[in-house]
Amino acid sequence: MFTPTLRAFVEVDRATMGPERLATKLTAYARLHSYAPTIPGRRPTFQQQGLEEWRRHYPLFPRLLFILDGTDPAGVENRISALRRPPGTWCPSCTRSRSSWPR
């Protein structure tokens, strides 16, 4: 019988990096969620889609918890705002989102 346990990835932010860099960590977790290993030298076919690696260790994808510390309330709000922005818009100096960049 499976006994559910609480699991989570925890990111502790002590304001040592910019909010945009913190937000890009979400991309890494998204890549982890969809990562399925393949056999070297072989490309998977549609029928042979591999199982995501995390499923070998967890029955469900763990929650992602961001602990924000080391800054004043305005800094925390700035970091929350950066985490809520869509991917590709985290860089405030960028004039267009990454999804519109040429490939």
Side-chain angles (χ1 to χ4, degrees):
M1 181 173 174
F2 175 75
T3 304
T5 57
L6 298 176
R7 293 186 174 97
F9 293 120
V10 179
E11 283 288 338
V12 178
D13 172 47
R14 299 189 189 276
T16 58
M17 63 181 71
E20 292 78 21
R21 185 166 171 218
L22 173 68
T24 59
K25 289 186 174 191
L26 289 175
T27 303
Y29 284 105
R31 286 181 29 220
L32 174 63
H33 182 268
S34 62
Y35 173 73
T38 59
I39 299 170
R42 192 185 271 184
R43 293 172 52 177
T45 64
F46 182 72
Q47 292 84 12
Q48 298 174 326
Q49 290 296 321
L51 191 64
E52 293 91 351
E53 180 65 17
W54 62 266
R55 291 185 189 272
R56 292 182 43 202
H57 308 284
Y58 308 103
L60 298 171
F61 193 75
R63 295 172 189 231
L64 178 56
L65 305 175
F66 275 86
I67 310 299
L68 305 175
D69 191 21
T71 187
D72 60 2
V76 170
E77 287 300 321
N78 187 25
R79 296 175 118 51
I80 291 171
S81 174
L83 289 168
R84 288 183 175 163
R85 281 187 219 128
T89 63
W90 293 323
C91 176
S93 62
C94 298
T95 57
R96 56 186 176 169
S97 77
R98 179 174 289 171
S99 62
S100 67
W101 291 359
R103 301 202 188 271

